[in-house]
Amino acid sequence: MSETRLGWPEWQALEAHARAVRQLHLRRLFEEDPGRFERLSFRFDDLLLDLSKNLVTDETLRLLLRLAERADVPGWIARMFAGERINHTEGRAVLHVALRNRSGRPIRVDGEDVMPRVEAVLARMRAFSEAVRTGAWRGHTGRRITDVVNLGIGGSDLGPRMVCRALRPWGGPLRVHFVANVDGADLADTLAGLDPERTLFIVASKSFTTQETLTNARSARAWLLERLADEAAVARHFVAVSTHREAVAAFGIDPANMFEFWDWVGGRFSLWSAIGLPIALYVGMDRFEALLAGAHEMDEHFRTAPLGANLPVLLALVGVWYVDFLGAETQAVLPYDQRLERLPAYLQQAEMESNGKSVDRAGRRVGWHTCPVVWGEPGTNGQHAFFQLLHQGTRLVPCDFLLAAEGGDPYPEHHRILVANALAQAEALMRGRTEAEARAELEAAGLSGEALERLLPHKVFPGNRPSTFILYRRLDPRTLGRLIALYEHKIFVQGVIWDVNAFDQWGVELGKQLASAILPELEGGATGAHDASTVGLMQHWRNLVGG
Ligand code: F6P
């Protein structure tokens, strides 16, 4: 087991400090310190990152920043931007920042500047998306394309799906749909309303070997050919996004209809690449490029700002603080922004596939905790679901609130109510309601005696429940780019602190292998060696389907 971090004086100082912080209460910290918000909130242009409602003091941040220095966060940032193969288990560089590099500076992998290739694909995406959007690109029978279906899963689905949802005000004239699940219901429900003559499929798969995506692609092709009855139709209705030209050709998609990206783009960091094609088709290439520009601005901030004023670094460190020193097991993401409703799902992959690891970069079991369980829902819906636990449950759940100052919809009154709720929830979590306050309220409501005493403990809110508040002017392509990049770099920094490789995902392999072994058995092949539960479930399945 690796105990490296545990032996560092910087780590031990945080452990000792955590014992002191456990005695504090946020409400008192605010009462005693009028400068708390000013000192513990950080700005990047209009984006405000308020850390002051976290269980931290100035000393906590000082100690966390020392930890970041000790883990060589600045060195790792430099290595990433320099194109080093920091994804060492796969021997790959990690350069999603190159996909949105607007600086004109070269970014090199093994001495080769990758920017010309990035620019070339962006140019092809522009030409193609404009052709489809304007109707210059037609379907096989000469009809205009009205619907685009992205067939992809994980990083080839979650990013573009989340972004298209977030940018709906800019969407159209094309409709964009996403099919990820191998459950045929996903494809069937999507195709049900579509006209094959007017539908364009994007098969999005970095590896072009993913079972779910290829299964959906085969069925989609069959659906198309069943109706258009001409193999030549595939060329007008199927394009691919992949790193594997041969696999795309083998599948039957003309490589001329393939948009390339590269092995130095991790799947969960790929929405900035041609994987973002559905975004370009939906909102237009100018908006897609505004998204890239926003992300690039955050990249530049991350690359150049000192650690103590660096938003992704600070966000990461506060997360580490909860997981490793205060015992939090989960992290809630609460966008008070309906159009960010897919952000929690997107971050589940980004964070948990990146840092859900238990061996360090040298392959030793880590002696500390790594990624928390990430979950969440938009506010105010969550308030009527799980907020009870956040306010009065037994667990420490750090929360991220995200909120736009301006709503951008035709209901200004709604937006003020939304803002009030977001602010109120964060305040309530922090302040709580003391027994004296609860008593006074009950008395004011006319209760007294035994009835009051019986109800009183249920009306007390302990408070001291931490949250980070991210407030921005409005959710537009540029801001969205900044927000996503903020979280991407947070994840990177946490991986450095936890000493894990945030860019591989070996943990998804075993289940895939076992599924490949079980499938032929379900199709009548010989039964392999399984545990009694798997055998029993298979048998019951056979009984139910009459096999
Ligand atoms: O879930 C494992 C994974 O490899 C993800 O990392 C990736 O985003 C997803 O599968 C899809 O992979 P591909 O783009 O190669 O189809």
Side-chain angles (χ1 to χ4, degrees):
M1 171 168 323
S2 172
E3 308 236 320
T4 48
R5 269 44 183 168
L6 309 185
W8 286 356
E10 292 82 359
W11 192 279
Q12 290 167 357
L14 280 159
E15 278 176 338
H17 177 65
R19 288 193 281 281
V21 168
R22 282 204 183 91
Q23 311 307 315
L24 303 176
H25 195 292
L26 279 167
R27 178 196 278 232
R28 247 189 327 275
L29 293 177
F30 273 101
E31 283 166 0
E32 288 165 4
D33 178 5
R36 185 175 167 86
F37 169 76
E38 264 318 310
R39 285 196 323 283
L40 296 179
S41 60
F42 301 84
R43 287 171 178 77
F44 176 68
D45 202 357
D46 62 283
L47 196 153
L48 177 82
L49 176 71
D50 176 16
L51 298 179
S52 67
K53 290 202 201 70
N54 282 288
L55 295 165
V56 297
T57 64
D58 299 290
E59 176 68 355
T60 319
L61 284 195
R62 197 181 66 76
L63 293 174
L64 285 167
L65 288 165
R66 277 181 47 201
L67 178 67
E69 291 282 3
R70 176 67 195 257
D72 192 22
V73 168
W76 282 100
I77 295 174
R79 281 191 276 283
M80 177 171 74
F81 279 88
E84 281 187 33
R85 294 180 186 271
I86 58 173
N87 174 1
H88 67 302
T89 59
E90 297 181 308
R92 293 173 180 170
V94 174
L95 277 182
H96 41 281
V97 292
L99 300 168
R100 57 220 192 192
N101 172 24
R102 328 300 283 168
S103 70
R105 271 193 313 272
I107 295 188
R108 295 197 163 81
V109 178
D110 295 336
E112 187 211 334
D113 180 11
V114 298
M115 291 314 301
R117 291 205 274 163
V118 169
E119 298 296 342
V121 173
L122 286 173
R124 284 194 62 213
M125 288 171 69
R126 175 175 288 279
F128 179 71
S129 57
E130 282 174 3
V132 179
R133 285 166 61 81
T134 56
W137 175 287
R138 302 252 161 180
H140 181 62
T141 56
R143 323 269 320 250
R144 252 180 114 120
I145 299 295
T146 53
D147 292 83
V148 176
V149 181
N150 190 75
L151 307 171
I153 196 164
S156 301
D157 166 78
L158 290 160
R161 190 194 288 255
M162 180 269 287
V163 171
C164 286
R165 174 68 187 100
L167 300 184
R168 190 169 290 175
W170 291 272
L174 299 170
R175 288 181 290 265
V176 179
H177 314 264
F178 291 87
V179 175
N181 203 329
V182 75
D183 183 340
D186 201 1
L187 186 66
D189 291 353
T190 304
L191 296 184
L194 299 186
D195 174 354
E197 293 181 63
R198 295 171 169 277
T199 301
L200 175 76
F201 292 96
I202 302 173
V203 187
S205 175
K206 181 180 170 184
S207 60
F208 230 77
T209 57
T210 303
Q211 186 186 44
E212 294 93 326
T213 300
L214 294 190
T215 305
N216 278 323
R218 274 191 296 271
S219 299
R221 187 172 56 183
W223 174 84
L224 185 89
L225 292 179
E226 215 171 85
R227 288 155 180 88
L228 300 189
D230 183 354
E231 275 285 339
V234 173
R236 301 305 294 172
H237 293 267
F238 273 80
V239 298
V241 180
S242 186
T243 58
H244 276 257
R245 191 166 291 273
E246 302 76 35
V248 168
F251 180 82
I253 296 179
D254 184 348
N257 287 346
M258 172 183 150
F259 296 82
E260 188 188 15
F261 65 115
W262 307 275
D263 72 358
W264 42 262
V265 181
R268 52 193 173 275
F269 303 97
S270 64
L271 73 88
W272 322 98
S273 72
I275 289 290
L277 188 60
I279 305 170
L281 285 162
Y282 186 52
V283 299
M285 196 63 190
D286 288 347
R287 269 100 186 211
F288 182 68
E289 294 207 350
L291 182 84
L292 301 185
H296 175 65
E297 287 160 4
M298 186 56 74
D299 294 344
E300 288 298 275
H301 166 78
F302 179 56
R303 195 175 63 81
T304 58
L307 297 187
N310 193 312
L311 271 58
V313 171
L314 291 163
L315 191 60
L317 290 174
V318 169
V320 168
W321 170 240
Y322 289 120
V323 167
D324 291 293
F325 303 99
L326 295 182
E329 294 186 339
T330 81
Q331 167 73 53
V333 179
L334 309 170
Y336 273 66
D337 200 324
Q338 184 62 26
R339 295 191 178 115
L340 288 180
E341 66 180 329
R342 296 295 301 176
L343 183 70
Y346 169 79
L347 289 178
Q348 281 178 335
Q349 186 202 23
E351 301 215 14
M352 293 160 79
E353 196 165 271
S354 297
N355 288 330
K357 314 273 166 72
S358 54
V359 296
D360 68 9
R361 291 180 65 86
R364 299 165 301 193
R365 204 178 158 76
V366 294
W368 47 90
H369 280 296
T370 62
C371 191
V373 174
V374 177
W375 62 283
E377 273 289 316
T380 59
N381 302 13
Q383 291 173 205
H384 301 273
F386 51 79
F387 270 53
Q388 165 64 40
L389 180 150
L390 298 183
H391 286 290
Q392 288 188 313
T394 55
R395 294 185 184 275
L396 170 66
V397 183
C399 301
D400 283 359
F401 287 84
L402 293 101
L403 177 71
E406 298 168 7
D409 53 51
Y411 305 109
E413 191 207 341
H414 290 226
H415 198 69
R416 281 194 298 278
I417 295 173
L418 183 75
V419 172
N421 272 277
L423 295 175
Q425 290 296 330
E427 184 177 30
L429 287 164
M430 182 277 285
R431 285 176 57 87
R433 183 164 61 194
T434 63
E435 189 178 302
E437 286 167 344
R439 184 182 294 281
E441 251 187 52
L442 289 172
E443 283 169 355
L447 260 78
S448 61
E450 213 186 297
L452 184 149
E453 297 302 331
R454 238 195 340 265
L455 208 47
L456 185 59
H458 302 278
K459 293 282 203 172
V460 172
F461 287 59
N464 207 30
R465 302 193 168 211
S467 65
T468 292
F469 210 104
I470 302 176
L471 179 58
Y472 40 92
R473 191 188 311 280
R474 74 177 78 86
L475 186 65
D476 56 20
R478 191 164 175 176
T479 300
L480 183 62
R482 290 176 175 182
L483 285 172
I484 302 169
L486 168 68
Y487 275 97
E488 283 181 345
H489 295 320
K490 166 203 160 176
I491 292 164
F492 173 70
V493 171
Q494 291 190 331
V496 171
I497 305 274
W498 289 324
D499 196 23
V500 298
N501 179 359
F503 301 105
D504 61 13
Q505 57 283 319
W506 301 106
V508 302
E509 293 300 322
L510 180 60
K512 283 189 198 172
Q513 280 166 15
L514 294 187
S516 315
I518 288 175
L519 180 60
E521 298 173 31
L522 299 181
E523 289 165 347
T527 306
H530 297 289
D531 60 274
S533 167
T534 307
V535 172
L537 289 168
M538 245 192 260
Q539 192 49 53
H540 192 61
W541 177 78
R542 279 203 190 91
N543 295 342
L544 292 177
V545 300

